Amino acid sequence: PDALPTCSTETTAVYVSALAVRVAARLQPQAKRANVRLHVESPTRNVRAVTNELELEQVVTNMLENTFAFSGADGETMIRCAQAEKEAVIIIEDDGPGIPEENLSQIFRPFFTTRGESGGTGLGLSLADKLIRGHHGTIFGTNRSEGGARFEIRLPRPNIDG
């Protein structure tokens, strides 16, 4: 049996840039407690994706909370949205230690965690992956050349974007 819930079939055209701003504003107190500066870089144009808004909010919340845990004191996290030809793109970056090379291929596997001692269950990124894939999107993580981790979420855009 699958340990993760299934994703919703209810989708709409969601303004991902507005969602990113809203989630970041809600998480600012948590970022401050973790001594992490959280920045949102909003595009000049509204970026929309076809997805379930509550599930995308859960994914973005979880990913930002992960950056707070890994950035360390005086860390910095950036979330930005962009528009590709047929996709909305959400990029979350931090300036923490990055993802150990040997873990990169496992980070989306259920129950894989490096934070077991501090309460990590290893379900956050696997749930994010399942929800994003369930809405015909992709998510991947990599290390930034200047240090830290980078996650990119890509979701289909509506046929008519305004």
Side-chain angles (χ1 to χ4, degrees):
D2 197 346
L4 301 173
T6 58
C7 66
S8 173
T9 56
E10 295 179 30
T11 61
T12 59
V14 175
Y15 286 99
V16 295
S17 11
L19 183 142
V21 168
R22 188 172 64 247
V23 171
R26 183 171 45 80
L27 293 180
Q28 280 295 350
Q30 188 176 341
K32 190 172 185 171
R33 281 192 303 275
N35 202 22
V36 173
R37 291 177 308 285
L38 175 58
H39 305 283
V40 181
E41 189 178 291
S42 294
T44 56
R45 185 165 195 261
N46 286 325
V47 178
R48 296 191 309 166
V50 178
T51 189
N52 179 283
E53 187 165 9
L54 291 176
E55 290 176 354
L56 183 58
E57 189 166 327
Q58 179 182 0
V59 167
V60 171
T61 296
N62 187 353
M63 310 247 349
L64 288 174
E65 288 175 339
N66 276 352
T67 70
F68 303 159
F70 285 102
S71 287
D74 204 29
E76 198 160 356
T77 294
M78 168 71 77
I79 180 169
R80 68 179 181 270
C81 302
Q83 186 170 288
E85 186 178 334
K86 294 184 179 187
E87 297 168 312
V89 183
I90 302 169
I91 298 166
I92 298 172
E93 297 178 318
D94 68 45
D95 65 352
I99 304 162
E101 247 355 92
E102 64 272 14
N103 294 347
L104 274 172
S105 64
Q106 303 179 73
I107 58 175
F108 294 107
R109 198 181 81 222
F111 304 109
F112 177 77
T113 184
T114 59
R115 294 189 310 145
E117 322 75 51
S118 62
T121 62
L123 291 176
L125 288 178
S126 58
L127 177 60
D129 181 54
K130 182 171 185 168
L131 293 176
I132 296 300
R133 282 186 297 113
H135 294 291
H136 309 288
T138 59
I139 182 172
F140 69 91
T142 188
N143 286 311
R144 299 170 58 217
S145 59
E146 61 273 28
R150 180 182 196 273
F151 287 88
E152 187 172 302
I153 299 166
R154 291 180 167 264
L155 288 160
R157 287 181 38 214
N159 289 334
I160 300 171
D161 209 356

